[in-house]
Each structure stands twice: as C-alpha cells, then as structure tokens.
Amino acid sequence: MKKIVLTGGGTAGHVTPNLALLPALKEAGYEITYMGSYDGIEKRLIADFDIPYVGISTGKFRRYLDLRNFTDPFRVVKGFSEARKFLKGYQPDVVFSKGGFVSVPVVRAASTLGIPCVIHESDMTPGLANKLCLSSARKV
C-alpha cells in the first residue's frame, strides 16, 4: 500500500484543501497520515476523518517584535527532529504540504530522508512557509 503524509496548518485555509483530497487518496489506495502541531486547528479538523494524526512541536516565524521569536526557533528544531524520527520509521512514499508554519519542519525533515515532497500553493504569491520549503520540494 502506498503511504502519504499530509501536512499544513496554522489556519483552516491550510487544512481544508488537504481534507478535500482525502476521498480521492483513499480511493487511490493510499494509507494517509496527517502531521501537524500538538494542538492547532489542524488537529481539531482532522479528528472527524478517522486518519492517524501525528503532533509535532512547531513555531511561527513572526515578522514583528514578539518575545516568542526568541523561543520558537527551538520549537521548530524540535519539530524537525520529531518529524524526522516519525518519517524515518513510517517511510511514506510522498509528503504533500499545503503550507503554513506547521509544514516547515515536516517538509524539511522529509527532504533530508530523500522522501519526495509536493507543495501546493493556492495564493498568488507563496507564503513564507512555502518559500522556506521550496528548495526541499520535488514539485510545487
């Protein structure tokens, strides 16, 4: 069975396109897992769809002065490590990212393991998370 990891979050706009893919992916025979933050909106939205959810540490890249700008890089590094550990054991065939700060550690970790990553950007200009992940993607 083919395995896919979906990722994206921070806002519902990064999650709902992934949800729209679920029926087609299931019909195509994919085993689906979703990776997101420990308790972000993506966790609540995915709960109704009976697919495994893996939470990781995440941090937002704020472009304004905030004390969390000093601690969030450490959360991202922790999330990268958590995502890499999971992906190494799970060995998906592909990672599909919709974007949002939640996706950065997942896509970057997958890239280090040679797992192909596909990024979907539906906005006119790429968001910061997708810009950070462009070099890790096989297809955008």
Side-chain angles (χ1 to χ4, degrees), residues 107-128:
V107 171
R108 300 296 253 173
S111 177
T112 67
L113 296 169
I115 299 167
C117 299
V118 176
I119 295 175
H120 180 266
E121 179 60 71
S122 54
D123 294 333
M124 182 66 113
T125 57
L128 179 59

Side-chain angles (χ1 to χ4, degrees), residues 5-8 33-37 53-54 56 82-83 86-87 102 106:
V5 170
L6 303 177
T7 188
T33 299
Y34 201 99
M35 288 190 84
S37 62
Y53 183 89
V54 178
I56 61 167
E82 292 168 335
F86 172 78
L87 293 169
V102 171
V106 180

Side-chain angles (χ1 to χ4, degrees), residues 41-113:
I41 191 167
E42 61 277 4
K43 184 174 183 178
R44 292 188 299 275
L45 292 173
I46 292 297
D48 296 334
F49 289 88
D50 194 35
I51 60 171
Y53 183 89
V54 178
I56 61 167
S57 179
T58 61
K60 188 173 180 180
F61 299 109
R62 293 170 195 81
R63 296 180 220 172
Y64 52 87
L65 186 59
D66 188 300
L67 289 177
R68 292 174 292 183
N69 287 340
F70 299 104
T71 58
D72 277 3
F74 297 103
R75 288 188 182 95
V76 173
V77 170
K78 181 181 178 194
F80 170 86
S81 176
E82 292 168 335
R84 192 172 194 287
K85 181 179 179 183
F86 172 78
L87 293 169
K88 190 174 184 178
Y90 185 64
Q91 298 183 338
D93 296 292
V94 65
V95 169
F96 181 85
S97 170
K98 185 57 189 95
F101 65 87
V102 171
S103 66
V104 174
V106 180
V107 171
R108 300 296 253 173
S111 177
T112 67
L113 296 169

